[in-house]
Amino acid sequence: MSFKDFSLSAWVAGALAVLISYCGPLVIFIQAAQAGGMDAQTLSSWIWAISLGAGLSGLLLSAWLRQPIITAWSAPGTALLLSLFPQISMAEVVGAYLTTAVLVIAIGVTGCFERIVRLIPKGIAAGMLAGILFQFGAQAFRASADMAPLVFAMLAAYLLGRRLWPRYAIVLVAGVGLAVATLLGDTRLQMLAPVLASPVFVAPAFGWSAFFSFTVPLLLVSLTGQYLPGMSLLRLAGYQTPSRAVLTGTGLASLLVACFGGITIVLASITAALCTGADAHADARRRYVAGIASGIFYLVGAAFAGSIVLLFNAFPPPFIAALAGLALIGAIASNLELLAQERGTLEASVIAFLATASGMSLFGLGAAFWGVVLGMASHLMLRPRVT
């Protein structure tokens, strides 16, 4: 990075991108760990791994390509993981992470990203993604049964944030939730302390059930729900970003952190908007500094992953549930909108959505797999005949 390219606005944009990731997608990761019965040390390792992977890939790709490449972990993939615990073992999860990383690298090296994405109709992919995220959105309102004042205060903050400061709405939600939970006396902030990360190595295991239930859906949601919108965002901002470099770089980062609990590292889409626009810097050629900054802040988060675990353990479960659900409303809405726009595959897409959201499991294979299978089968049967 050239010193003349340094700007405070770019560093602020990078910091906000990381803060929003920790306020939203990270909460889903913590819930997945709780569903899998993971202890605090294992969760610390998970947070260390995803932060390290996102930090290194974003920093190096931004510096190399001189573009604001903002990376993160797969939020839809994490939501998918939550639906599979405790039926799937942690060793199988790590095996799926490794397999997905290898497949992403292969797609990147061969340059066939765009061709693979076109094989799956957009509506069916959107239906599967909306189905995966649906339970998280619903749980934000189910949590009101336990702490209605907290949940409705966070909902009001979300609506106000979307009205006035849409990019930073989830930060406002987290802040209001923190304040209300503290006023209600439901926090344990006295337990907070600086705690360094403690990585835990997990030997992988491989099996066909985990491959079809987790690896295949994880790859699909990463390609269609993260890389595709992320690449589109960069290109709309005027950057001719090479998909080969991005997929290969993030795939290598995923490979590096997989055995420590790091789910697939992908191209960010929601938080990337903070770093690709004029708010990061008036000169588009100098916005790459925001990507470098986000990478550095992620690395700081990786170092203090133990403190992040303590922070989230200091809040009541309804706070976590509401924060995760509200953080995903935008993603659920955009996928439902895309589903409705694809008129030629509307019924098939709804079938994909319903099958995935149902949580069904047949022959040891999870709902996301069946959502894609039933959606594609419906599409093939319902599409107009060529005469």
Side-chain angles (χ1 to χ4, degrees), residues 180-188:
V180 173
T182 302
L183 289 173
L184 293 174
D186 285 308
T187 60
R188 299 186 299 277

Side-chain angles (χ1 to χ4, degrees), residues 49-66:
I50 57 175
S51 299
L52 180 68
L56 287 177
S57 57
L59 193 161
L60 296 175
L61 284 169
S62 296
W64 177 36
L65 298 174
R66 296 181 75 83

Side-chain angles (χ1 to χ4, degrees), residues 44 191-198 301-310:
S44 172
M191 65 188 292
L192 297 182
V195 181
L196 295 177
S198 51
F304 291 96
S307 295
I308 294 175
V309 173
L310 290 180

Side-chain angles (χ1 to χ4, degrees), residues 242-256:
S243 60
R244 287 190 180 190
V246 172
L247 268 77
T248 303
T250 52
L252 289 171
S254 300
L255 204 61
L256 174 68

Side-chain angles (χ1 to χ4, degrees), residues 24-332:
L26 181 64
V27 183
I28 308 167
F29 210 64
I30 290 171
Q31 288 190 308
Q34 292 171 343
M38 306 304 166
D39 57 25
Q41 185 178 10
T42 302
L43 177 55
S44 172
S45 179
W46 285 20
I47 295 173
W48 172 83
I50 57 175
S51 299
L52 180 68
L56 287 177
S57 57
L59 193 161
L60 296 175
L61 284 169
S62 296
W64 177 36
L65 298 174
R66 296 181 75 83
Q67 298 178 15
I69 309 299
I70 311 302
T71 57
W73 49 94
S74 176
T78 308
L80 172 63
L81 176 62
L82 180 60
S83 69
L84 295 174
F85 276 140
Q87 288 77 21
I88 190 171
S89 71
M90 192 58 209
E92 290 176 311
V93 167
V94 170
Y97 289 169
L98 288 170
T99 307
T100 304
V102 171
L103 292 172
V104 169
I105 293 170
I107 293 169
V109 170
T110 57
C112 56
F113 165 66
E114 282 82 5
R115 292 197 298 274
I116 291 176
V117 169
R118 283 197 295 267
L119 291 176
I120 303 173
K122 291 180 181 180
I124 292 175
M128 178 188 63
L129 270 168
I132 291 171
L133 302 177
F134 172 78
Q135 292 300 327
F136 287 90
Q139 75 180 358
F141 299 93
R142 286 197 294 265
S144 64
D146 299 317
M147 295 186 70
L150 173 65
V151 173
F152 285 113
M154 293 174 71
L155 175 60
Y158 175 82
L159 296 173
L160 180 65
R162 290 296 298 164
R163 176 81 179 190
L164 300 177
W165 310 286
R167 287 185 175 180
Y168 316 116
I170 198 61
V171 177
L172 179 63
V173 171
V176 169
L178 187 156
V180 173
T182 302
L183 289 173
L184 293 174
D186 285 308
T187 60
R188 299 186 299 277
L189 297 177
Q190 68 278 3
M191 65 188 292
L192 297 182
V195 181
L196 295 177
S198 51
V200 177
F201 179 85
V202 178
F206 302 91
W208 287 113
S209 177
F211 178 80
F212 286 110
S213 291
F214 189 33
T215 304
V216 172
L218 176 58
L219 180 64
L220 291 179
V221 298
S222 296
L223 293 176
T224 61
Q226 301 274 177
Y227 286 111
L228 182 59
M231 292 296 297
S232 299
L233 184 69
L234 283 164
R235 289 169 181 172
L236 286 172
Y239 298 102
Q240 298 305 310
T241 307
S243 60
R244 287 190 180 190
V246 172
L247 268 77
T248 303
T250 52
L252 289 171
S254 300
L255 204 61
L256 174 68
V257 301
C259 289
F260 300 95
I263 197 169
T264 306
I265 303 300
V266 293
L267 192 61
S269 54
I270 299 173
T271 54
L274 297 170
C275 302
T276 55
D279 287 344
H281 200 284
D283 186 349
R285 294 170 298 179
R286 297 171 64 180
R287 293 174 194 161
Y288 74 95
V289 176
I292 293 175
S294 71
I296 292 173
F297 285 118
Y298 271 130
L299 294 178
V300 173
F304 291 96
S307 295
I308 294 175
V309 173
L310 290 180
L311 177 62
F312 280 100
N313 284 338
F315 293 99
F319 169 83
I320 302 296
L323 187 57
L326 294 173
L328 290 172
I329 287 178
I332 295 170

